[in-house]
Structure formats: structure tokens, C-alpha cells
């Protein structure tokens, strides 16, 4: 039990202390107008209060990620607490802060545009494709799950439920950000927090004992912690999907100092939610073996329902349904909204005739149609391909932040060290995972390490090149 309390306390201290360190290194400028004012368009660039932005950001980046991911990651045992705490403070929250603040500094630019500016046009082209694909997969996966549950508990059929959900997606993607997202998402964000806190309090006052820290791998399937845990638990530790969502809120901030509360703060809140659900999952069933059986029987949604209903009664059942149906839908719609922004930016370069609302409609349809078609296939198949793509996007965003800091002669290590770590994760994972090359674990470790060293060598070369240019500039001056 004490491990859980220490983990929560560390996340809170991380926000109070380390977020200020990150903010100081970034160097905020509150005297400059933000894109919400300078680019005001009544659609995406609309000023909003920081507290409303924080709740929307939390809901955008969270959905069911910190619940389902935590439940699947709990199979590894209390070692998951370490990853959530360290990953959230030093990688995930830093990633979210830079993805949001760099967008704000560049007139609300989308994630691929930021990548292009600091990592080059070739990387931008690749990450454009990967990012849009990721968001289409997320939208599809976060539609299939709720639609299946709706079909089980109501007379509405699966396909009809999918059509209804996508009808809502179209409205949320096409209407101004303050019409639907700005009005109802703070309420849903509050529900997400209330749901997690209620489960946490009920767990603590019950007879269940949250296990204390052990470095042993308790996974019943004997799957290795490295690098699988770092991909299984993404939301709550670090998630590349967040970098595609942060520009939505970056376009609404009233001043730069709000960024720490909105971007870093929302990530820490998600980390705490993830800790609660990980603790509940590894505790409620009496061990990771029984948890694995519960997941095999009803999936993560069944685990959420059983824990919520048992600990909270009727209220728990209502919260479970709200969580499993509403929360993933609200992540899916913002995924389509941000992918619509990216597609629109691409189309505007080569498709001049369409402008304004026509371009918005075309961009929305381009991403909605494939997401709709994918949502009708197996949910578990979709989810397998979300994980690695998600962490690849996160890794590239951290390198983007590192190069930005390097070019501006700032302390780049706050981004480059977690970037190196995540590079090792995604490189090793793609060699080992079944959806990757499915190679032997030992060979995967060697191959992943070799590829990681190559990428680190690229960054070291950038450091030396920058220093030489800096010296030349100093001599010339």
C-alpha cells in the first residue's frame, strides 16, 4: 500500500518542482499575444480559460488509455508503478509540454509541421503519414469498443452504433471548438477524474491490499518487461498521441504561462489516474494470474465493469458504462479533428481551388471514411498496431524538442535523454513484437541496441555541428 501512496506523492511533487524547471528552460513570454488572439478565426483559434483547457486536454489525451493500458500493464505487477512515475514526470509530461508550447510558438502548428522545422522535410513527410494513420487507428479502435458494448446492452445493432458514433464525430470535427468540445468536454473530463478517485478511495477503504514494490516480473505469460511494458502502458507514462492533440488546446491558450498547467498538469493528472487503475487491477482479483483470466473472459472493459460495480455498486455500474462508452468516443472525435487539421494543411499546398469550409469538409471526409471502415473489423487487431505507432510518434516528438532546445542554446538533455530511452524502446519492440519482425528476444535486444546507437550518433553529430557553427558566429561577431 505504501508504494502506491509514494508513487502518487512523487507525481504531485514532480508537477510542483520539475514542471517549473521545464518551464524555466523553455522560457515563457507572457507579453506576446498567443495564436488564440493573433490567428482568431472562430473555429479552431478561440481563447479559452486554462482550467477549461486543462479538462479538455485531459479528456483528449486520456479517454480509456489510462484505464485499459493500466489494466493490461498491471499484469507485470508493481514494477508498473515505477514506469508510470518516471515515465510521466521525465518523459510524458515533458513530451506533452513541448508539443503544446512549440505549437503555440509556431502559430498553432500541427505536430508534423514542427517535426519538419526541426528534423527536416523527409522526416516530416514520414511522420505526416504515421500521425494520420495513428489517429485513424485510434478513432477506429475507440469506436469499435464502445459500439460493441452498446450492441450488448441495448437493442441497437453494432453497425448502427458505429454509424451513430461517426455522425457525432462529423459534428465535433466540423463545428467550432467552443461549440461541442469546449462545452461538454470539461464535464466529461470531470467524470473521468471522479471515476478514478471514487475507485481509488473505495479500494483503499476496502479489505483489498495494494501490493508493495517488487522488481520481479509477475506477468503470468512470462512476457518480458522490457520493452513491452513501455508500450503497453503509454497513456499515463508517455504517449505520442498526445502530441497530435496538444495543438488543439495550444490554439486556445490565453497566455504562455497557462501551458504548464494545461500540458504538464494534465499529463500528471493522467498519470495519477493510471496509477489508480493499475493498483485496482493488480489488487482486486488477488494476483496477476486471476487478472489475466478476467481479461481473457471479458477483456479490459469487463475488468473495468467488475471492479467499478463491485467497489461502487450501482454508481459504479453507471460510471463504468460512461467510461467504456463515452470516454473513448471523446478521444476518437478529437483524433479525427486533429487529423483533419493535418490533412487540410497538406491539401492547401496542392489543392488551391478549395478554401475555408469546403477544405474543412474535404479534410474531414478524407480521414473519417477510412476510420469508419476500419471500425467494423476486430478491435483487438486494431489495438495491436496502435501501441508501437503511438510510441514512435512520441519518440520523434522528444527528438524535435531536443533539437529545438539545442538550436536555441538551451539545456536539451530534458528532452534528449528521454528521447534516447524511447528510441531504445521502439527499436527493440519492432524487432521483438509479433506485429513487428517477431524475432528472438536476445537478437531483438542486440538489433534494437545497435539501431539506437546509430540514432544517438546522429544526435551527437548534431551537437558538435551546432557547437562549430556557434563558435564561427561568435568569432564573426
Amino acid at each position: 500500500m505504501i508504494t502506491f501512496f509514494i508513487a502518487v506523492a512523487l507525481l504531485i511533487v514532480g508537477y510542483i518542482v520539475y514542471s517549473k524547471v521545464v518551464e524555466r528552460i523553455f522560457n515563457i513570454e507572457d507579453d506576446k499575444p498567443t495564436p488564440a488572439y493573433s490567428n482568431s478565426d472562430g473555429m479552431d483559434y478561440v481563447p479559452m480559460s486554462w482550467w477549461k483547457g486543462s479538462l479538455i486536454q485531459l479528456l483528449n489525451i486520456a479517454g480509456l488509455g489510462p484505464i485499459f493500458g493500466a489494466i493490461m500493464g498491471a499484469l507485470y505487477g508493481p514494477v508498473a508503478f515505477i514506469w508510470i512515475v518516471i515515465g510521466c514526470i521525465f518523459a510524458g509530461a515533458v513530451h506533452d509540454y513541448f508539443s503544446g508550447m512549440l505549437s503555440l510558438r509556431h502559430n498553432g502548428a500541427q505536430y508534423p509541421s514542427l517535426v519538419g522545422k526541426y528534423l527536416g522535410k523527409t522526416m516530416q513527410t514520414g511522420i505526416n503519414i504515421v500521425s494520420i494513420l495513428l489517429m485513424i487507428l485510434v478513432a477506429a479502435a475507440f469506436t469499435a469498443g464502445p459500439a460493441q458494448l452498446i450492441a450488448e446492452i441495448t437493442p441497437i445493432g453494432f453497425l448502427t452504433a458505429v454509424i451513430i458514433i461517426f455522425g457525432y464525430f462529423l459534428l465535433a470535427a466540423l463545428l467550432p471548438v467552443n461549440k461541442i468540445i469546449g462545452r461538454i468536454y470539461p464535464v466529461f473530463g470531470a467524470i473521468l477524474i471522479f471515476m478514478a478517485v471514487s475507485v481509488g478511495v473505495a479500494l483503499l477503504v476496502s479489505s483489498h491490499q495494494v501490493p508493495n514494490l517488487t522488481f520481479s516480473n509477475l506477468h503470468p505469460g512470462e512476457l518480458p518487461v522490457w520493452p513491452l511494458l513501455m508500450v503497453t502502458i503509454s497513456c499515463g507514462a508517455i504517449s505520442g498521441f498526445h502530441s497530435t492533440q496538444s495543438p488543439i488546446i495550444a490554439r486556445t491558450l490565453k497566455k504562455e504561462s497557462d501551458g504548464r498547467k494545461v500540458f504538464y498538469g494534465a499529463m500528471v493528472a493522467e498519470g495519477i489516474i493510471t496509477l489508480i487503475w493499475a493498483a485496482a487491477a493488480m489488487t482486486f482479483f488477488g494476483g496477476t494470474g486471476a487478472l489475466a483470466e478476467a481479461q481473457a473472459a471479458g477483456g479490459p472493459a469487463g475488468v473495468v465493469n467488475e471492479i467499478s460495480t463491485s467497489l461502487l455498486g450501482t454508481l459504479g455500474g453507471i460510471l463504468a458504462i460512461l467510461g467504456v462508452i463515452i470516454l473513448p468516443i471523446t478521444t476518437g472525435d478529437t483524433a479525427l479533428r486533429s487529423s483533419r487539421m493535418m490533412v487540410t494543411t497538406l491539401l492547401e499546398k496542392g489543392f488551391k481551388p478549395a478554401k475555408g469550409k469546403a477544405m474543412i469538409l474535404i479534410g474531414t471526409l478524407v480521414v473519417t471514411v477510412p476510420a469508419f471502415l476500419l471500425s467494423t473489423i476486430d478491435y483487438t487487431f486494431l489495438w495491436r498496431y496502435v501501441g508501437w505507432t503511438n510510441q514512435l510518434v512520441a519518440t520523434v516528438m522528444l527528438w524535435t524538442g531536443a533539437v529545438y532546445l539545442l538550436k536555441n542554446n538551451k539545456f536539451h538533455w530534458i528532452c534528449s535523454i528521454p528521447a534516447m530511452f524511447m528510441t531504445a524502446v521502439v527499436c527493440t519492440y519492432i524487432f521483438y513484437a509479433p506485429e513487428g519482425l517477431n524475432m528472438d528476444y536476445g537478437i531483438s535486444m542486440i538489433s534494437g541496441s545497435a539501431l539506437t546507437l546509430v540514432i544517438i550518433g546522429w544526435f551527437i553529430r548534431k551537437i558538435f555541428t551546432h557547437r562549430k557553427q556557434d563558435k564561427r558566429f561568435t568569432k564573426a561577431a
Side-chain angles (χ1 to χ4, degrees):
M1 187 74 77
I2 190 171
T3 299
F4 173 74
F5 285 119
I6 291 174
V8 173
L10 286 173
L11 283 178
I12 295 171
V13 171
Y15 171 71
I16 294 172
V17 177
Y18 196 63
S19 69
K20 291 182 180 178
V21 172
V22 172
E23 183 184 59
R24 191 175 297 114
I25 292 171
F26 185 81
N27 188 28
I28 58 171
E29 300 172 345
D30 271 349
D31 57 324
K32 292 185 177 180
T34 62
Y37 295 105
S38 59
N39 293 359
S40 181
D41 63 358
M43 180 67 183
D44 295 317
Y45 295 88
V46 180
M48 284 197 293
S49 61
W50 72 263
W51 65 266
K52 185 179 287 189
S54 294
L55 286 173
I56 296 172
Q57 174 75 358
L58 176 61
L59 199 61
N60 287 356
I61 66 175
L64 280 185
I67 301 176
F68 279 20
I71 289 170
M72 292 185 283
L75 291 170
Y76 292 91
V79 69
F81 292 150
I82 300 175
W83 167 235
I84 293 168
V85 171
I86 295 177
C88 182
I89 294 172
F90 298 106
V94 173
H95 165 280
D96 287 17
Y97 183 81
F98 274 86
S99 63
M101 295 304 292
L102 285 180
S103 174
L104 185 149
R105 282 280 174 91
H106 295 83
N107 292 315
Q110 287 290 306
Y111 162 66
S113 298
L114 299 174
V115 172
K117 182 172 180 60
Y118 294 103
L119 300 184
K121 295 300 180 183
T122 302
M123 182 64 77
Q124 179 180 1
T125 300
I127 214 64
N128 248 319
I129 297 169
V130 172
S131 299
I132 293 171
L133 177 61
L134 170 62
M135 286 180 286
I136 289 173
L137 285 170
V138 167
F142 278 19
T143 298
Q148 287 173 359
L149 184 58
I150 290 171
E152 289 175 10
I153 63 175
T154 71
I156 298 174
F158 173 75
L159 186 57
T160 303
V162 170
I163 293 172
I164 292 171
I165 292 171
F166 269 92
Y168 162 75
F169 280 178
L170 284 171
L171 282 176
L174 291 171
L175 289 175
V177 68
N178 60 336
K179 295 300 181 183
I180 292 182
I181 293 174
R183 290 183 179 179
I184 65 173
Y185 276 35
V187 177
F188 290 149
I191 289 173
L192 176 64
I193 296 171
F194 179 74
M195 182 181 180
V197 171
S198 298
V199 168
V201 171
L203 184 68
L204 295 176
V205 300
S206 69
S207 58
H208 300 285
Q209 291 296 313
V210 179
N212 284 319
L213 180 63
T214 172
F215 292 97
S216 301
N217 180 6
L218 302 182
H219 199 293
E222 298 183 351
L223 295 178
V225 171
W226 173 269
L228 300 188
L229 177 61
M230 290 73 194
V231 175
T232 303
I233 298 182
S234 54
C235 291
I238 178 171
S239 169
F241 178 69
H242 298 186
S243 63
T244 68
Q245 301 303 292
S246 294
I248 295 177
I249 305 303
R251 297 179 178 193
T252 70
L253 292 188
K254 293 182 175 181
K255 55 184 179 179
E256 287 196 358
S257 57
D258 287 344
R260 184 175 69 89
K261 293 172 280 191
V262 171
F263 301 121
Y264 201 106
M267 183 61 205
V268 169
E270 185 184 48
I272 294 173
I273 292 170
T274 306
L275 278 176
I276 291 171
W277 279 103
M282 68 180 71
T283 301
F284 183 81
F285 297 96
T288 56
L291 172 61
E293 292 176 4
Q295 288 193 36
V303 172
V304 171
N305 186 51
E306 188 170 349
I307 291 174
S308 301
T309 304
S310 299
L311 291 178
L312 302 172
T314 303
L315 174 61
I318 295 172
L319 288 173
I321 293 206
L322 282 172
V324 176
I325 293 179
I326 295 177
L327 296 178
I329 292 174
T330 56
T331 299
D333 65 4
T334 50
L336 287 183
R337 187 181 187 90
S338 52
S339 59
R340 180 263 293 167
M341 291 176 180
M342 291 183 188
V343 170
T344 300
T345 300
L346 289 174
L347 290 176
E348 283 174 344
K349 294 178 180 178
F351 192 50
K352 301 293 184 183
K355 296 289 183 181
K357 292 182 179 179
M359 184 63 77
I360 291 172
L361 179 60
I362 293 170
T364 301
L365 292 176
V366 166
V367 294
T368 301
V369 172
F372 175 81
L373 295 175
L374 283 170
S375 67
T376 61
I377 67 177
D378 181 36
Y379 169 83
T380 54
F381 173 82
L382 289 172
W383 195 248
R384 283 173 56 192
Y385 288 91
V386 169
W388 181 79
T389 309
N390 186 38
Q391 298 305 60
L392 174 63
V393 169
T395 304
V396 174
M397 182 62 236
L398 285 171
W399 283 122
T400 301
V403 173
Y404 163 80
L405 292 173
L406 177 64
K407 287 187 173 182
N408 287 276
N409 296 313
K410 297 179 180 180
F411 190 73
H412 65 79
W413 298 108
I414 60 170
C415 283
S416 55
I417 289 177
M420 293 175 192
F421 178 86
M422 289 305 299
T423 298
V425 169
V426 297
C427 288
T428 306
Y429 186 89
I430 196 61
F431 285 111
Y432 179 68
E435 59 270 28
L437 299 177
N438 200 21
M439 297 170 65
D440 173 78
Y441 185 65
I443 295 175
S444 299
M445 289 285 286
I446 294 171
S447 303
S449 298
L451 185 54
T452 300
L453 288 174
V454 170
I455 296 170
I456 291 174
W458 157 81
F459 185 67
I460 291 173
R461 185 179 177 183
K462 264 197 171 302
I463 293 175
F464 283 115
T465 301
H466 175 72
R467 286 178 179 174
K468 286 180 181 178
Q469 290 173 345
D470 226 23
K471 286 180 181 177
R472 289 172 189 166
F473 177 78
T474 303
K475 287 180 180 178

